[in-house]
């Protein structure tokens, strides 16, 4: 999943982050933002709700 983040706030690779209620790690930083890999399997039916939850 790709999220936009400003270049000055680039998160170090392999950092653990929380996206909504989902644990993920940073696998790549791009000019447009960061790319995350979810730690646990996610299902299409519940993914949008899980990553947008607060």
């Amino acid at each position: 999943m790709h999220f936009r983040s400003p270049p000055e706030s680039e998160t170090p690779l392999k950092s653990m982050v929380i996206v909504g209620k989902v644990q993920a790690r940073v696998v790549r930083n791009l000019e447009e933002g960061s790319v995350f890999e979810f730690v646990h399997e996610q299902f299409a039916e519940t993914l949008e709700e899980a990553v947008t939850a607060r």
Side-chain angles (χ1 to χ4, degrees):
M1 174 158 281
H2 178 86
F3 290 91
R4 291 178 181 257
S5 62
E8 65 273 3
S9 66
E10 188 173 281
T11 307
L13 295 179
K14 299 184 182 179
S15 293
M16 296 299 291
V17 296
I18 300 292
V19 181
K21 292 184 176 180
V22 183
Q23 277 189 311
R25 87 177 37 85
V26 178
V27 293
R28 193 169 199 188
N29 286 307
L30 305 172
E31 189 173 308
E32 300 85 14
S34 298
V35 179
F36 304 111
E37 175 182 63
F38 296 122
V39 173
H40 303 288
E41 182 177 9
Q42 299 300 307
F43 300 99
E45 300 82 20
T46 58
L47 181 59
E48 184 174 358
E49 182 180 335
V51 299
T52 58
R54 293 183 181 234

